[in-house]
Amino acid sequence: MSEQYGILLVSHVTELAEGLARLLKPVAKDITVKAVGGAEDGGIGTSFDKVTAALNEMPEPNILAFYDLGSAKMNLELVSEMTEKNLVICDAAFVEGAYLTAALLQADTPYEKICEQLQELYVK
């Protein structure tokens, strides 16, 4: 793949994000998958600072982000305005979208084809 892509998972619950990352690893062993979840105090919620830190730790210039609920998307949108990375917020189903994307990235599928396949999983 000419451009490098990573996957960022944002959830209101740390264990949910980490569990999904664990699910993706066997199908995407060569893809960076970063999980971030929970509020600053460890409770349920999302954190702009935690999302920013996770994104900054990722070496890839292109990040496909998946989220579980609306305020996680809001934090991703805010972070996207403050980064030089190409952060693509995917409105696909959290688990299925991230899993499909991970498998397709591992198979060196072109970005455009990944987007086409994700369309079927977009939340409407």
Side-chain angles (χ1 to χ4, degrees):
M1 185 170 288
S2 60
E3 298 180 83
Q4 288 187 320
Y5 288 87
I7 296 174
L8 178 61
L9 307 170
V10 181
S11 173
H12 281 68
V13 178
T14 303
E15 295 85 359
L16 182 57
E18 290 173 353
L20 181 52
R22 185 173 167 210
L23 179 67
L24 302 185
K25 272 306 181 189
V27 299
K29 61 181 173 130
D30 300 321
I31 307 301
T32 300
V33 176
K34 191 79 172 162
V36 60
E40 288 293 328
D41 64 3
I44 294 174
T46 60
S47 160
F48 172 85
D49 291 336
K50 288 173 76 171
V51 172
T52 300
L55 180 67
N56 289 337
E57 291 173 7
M58 299 178 77
E60 296 82 5
N62 302 294
I63 307 298
L64 300 171
F66 295 86
Y67 62 93
D68 61 355
L69 297 171
S71 60
K73 180 180 182 180
M74 181 187 70
N75 273 314
L76 283 166
E77 290 170 343
L78 292 171
V79 169
S80 74
E81 295 174 8
M82 306 184 111
T83 184
E84 294 191 18
K85 292 183 186 259
N86 177 30
L87 178 62
V88 178
I89 302 168
C90 300
D91 290 323
F94 188 51
V95 174
E96 294 89 344
Y99 189 89
L100 174 66
T101 300
L104 292 174
L105 285 173
Q106 182 65 41
D108 207 24
T109 304
Y111 174 74
E112 295 76 23
K113 295 289 184 190
I114 294 171
C115 290
E116 285 175 21
Q117 293 200 32
L118 277 178
Q119 289 294 322
E120 295 178 25
L121 299 176
Y122 267 33
V123 179
K124 296 178 170 67

